[in-house]
Amino acid sequence: MIALSRLIDRFEDATVRDLAWLLFAPDLLRADEAGAALAQPFASDAERDATLAWLHTLDGAPDPLHVRSRNPKSTRLGIYAESLLEFFLAHGPAARLIAANVPLRRQRRTIGECDFLLQTAGGARQHWELAVKFYLHIGDGALRAARLSDYVGPNLQDRFDLKHARLLTHQLGLTSRVEFAALGLDGPWDAQLFIKGRLFYHDDAVPPAPEVGERHLRGFWLTASEWGERNDAIDDARAWVVQPRMAWLASRRLHADDAESLMAEAAGIHAGLRAIAQPTMVASYVRDDAGGWTEESRGFIVPDDWPERARAFAAAAL
């Protein structure tokens, strides 16, 4: 299997890279532990190859994708991801989009929305629910095995076990409700999870929770004090950048001038991250053999009091 980085690095446009990441990144959940079927963007190797060719063409003329997905007024990563997947289903060479964001109402009150309704080349009708999540693992791997509740959102407003339960008990059941049947969208519909993202670990040796996909994307997290002690944060062969929220999906490239500027400002960036008030994603870039700069790793720097608050949030599941 081709590594994700090799698939992504063939594309120059950042938005095309994000779409490729969404389609090819490994699932966050294991197929046999997910509690529901996991959506597969491609029904065959031929569809996969056709999609890569389509992305290559789109990379040369990405304006239609930009018009659909780029909204300077929006900073909601989930909405951005939805727009990317909708564009693929509407214009790509694989499954055919029937409808997106289909609202279900009862007595004029919206009770939910079906993310995507589509039909495969073989005629199967599928209902996909999309989730793109970034969680930090807060459990103590030395004392017990990891649980989904140990994975918490950086702002402590979300937790993997809560999101997983919501997907299974509410969102995937929408196409089975009488309110959906009243819409006249002929089925039957096979409800599936489309769940991507990255999980961040304080100790990279900690085994993941049993529900977590074996190939899931990983990152690190450090407290601000721990970050201050890192010697490689200021390095003449590495550039660090604060990763804006809308750039959390695919890896990025740095132009040489941008990397040199970041290296010149390394001391200021390093000091600023030691005084952060909220979790902040960072990425490190290193020189590659071709003289360019490629992303090496991603992680979160969190305030020193964050781990204690995060453990309390995770413990609320017990």
Side-chain angles (χ1 to χ4, degrees):
M1 181 175 293
I2 299 176
L4 179 64
S5 59
R6 289 180 59 192
L7 284 170
I8 300 299
D9 284 346
R10 67 182 66 187
F11 306 115
E12 295 292 334
D13 182 78
T15 311
V16 175
R17 290 169 72 90
D18 283 342
L19 174 54
W21 179 92
L22 194 63
L23 297 175
F24 289 97
D27 296 302
L28 276 189
L29 292 171
R30 291 171 58 102
D32 57 351
E33 296 282 351
L38 296 178
Q40 302 299 320
F42 323 113
S44 64
D45 289 344
E47 283 191 358
R48 178 184 179 277
D49 293 343
T51 297
L52 286 170
W54 174 77
L55 287 168
H56 178 74
T57 300
L58 186 63
D59 195 41
D63 285 352
L65 178 62
H66 294 173
V67 170
R68 176 64 188 87
S69 63
R70 292 185 176 179
N71 182 353
K73 297 181 180 180
S74 175
T75 58
R76 295 183 60 185
L77 191 62
I79 298 299
Y80 174 58
E82 284 185 3
S83 71
L84 295 175
L85 189 53
E86 182 178 348
F87 186 90
F88 166 70
L89 292 172
H91 303 286
R96 176 177 64 86
L97 180 68
I98 295 175
N101 299 315
V102 179
L104 274 65
R105 296 186 175 90
R106 179 193 298 160
Q107 298 177 346
R108 299 183 181 179
R109 181 176 63 89
T110 300
I111 58 175
E113 282 191 355
C114 301
D115 284 350
F116 299 101
L117 303 175
L118 56 123
Q119 182 168 306
T120 68
R125 293 203 154 196
Q126 297 178 350
H127 162 209
W128 288 0
E129 285 295 321
L130 172 66
V132 179
K133 306 306 275 183
F134 299 84
Y135 292 120
L136 285 68
H137 177 264
I138 196 61
D140 189 343
L143 297 178
R144 58 170 174 78
R147 299 177 294 219
L148 279 190
S149 58
D150 293 328
Y151 297 91
V152 300
N155 293 326
L156 303 182
Q157 297 177 348
D158 187 14
R159 215 169 56 212
F160 204 170
D161 62 318
L162 298 176
K163 182 60 180 179
H164 185 224
R166 174 73 174 176
L167 286 165
L168 295 182
T169 62
H170 179 70
Q171 291 174 243
L172 288 182
L174 292 174
T175 43
S176 299
R177 297 181 67 111
V178 295
E179 294 86 356
F180 180 84
L183 299 177
L185 292 164
D186 294 336
W189 297 92
D190 182 12
Q192 301 181 349
L193 288 173
F194 195 111
I195 184 162
K196 303 295 179 77
R198 190 184 297 261
L199 303 178
F200 299 81
Y201 296 84
H202 194 243
D203 180 356
D204 194 54
V206 172
E211 298 92 342
V212 171
E214 294 179 350
R215 296 174 50 246
H216 74 281
L217 300 180
R218 299 175 69 112
F220 66 88
W221 69 263
L222 298 169
T223 64
S225 293
E226 290 168 335
W227 166 258
E229 297 169 358
R230 284 189 62 148
N231 294 324
D232 64 351
I234 302 178
D235 188 319
D236 61 4
R238 178 180 283 103
W240 288 91
V241 61
V242 173
Q243 202 79 350
R245 186 171 184 82
M246 299 305 287
W248 283 13
L249 302 186
S251 61
R252 297 292 194 258
R253 290 197 185 99
L254 284 182
H255 296 296
D257 291 346
D258 294 332
E260 296 299 331
S261 176
L262 287 167
M263 291 173 65
E265 300 169 1
I269 294 172
H270 184 66
L273 287 167
R274 291 178 64 181
I276 57 170
Q278 60 186 8
T280 301
M281 185 188 284
V282 297
S284 69
Y285 293 80
V286 295
R287 300 180 196 269
D288 57 31
D289 294 338
W293 291 80
T294 58
E295 185 176 315
E296 179 186 49
S297 63
R298 284 196 189 183
F300 273 94
I301 313 302
V302 303
D304 286 347
D305 67 342
W306 184 90
E308 182 178 355
R309 293 186 287 116
R311 289 188 189 97
F313 183 52
L318 300 179

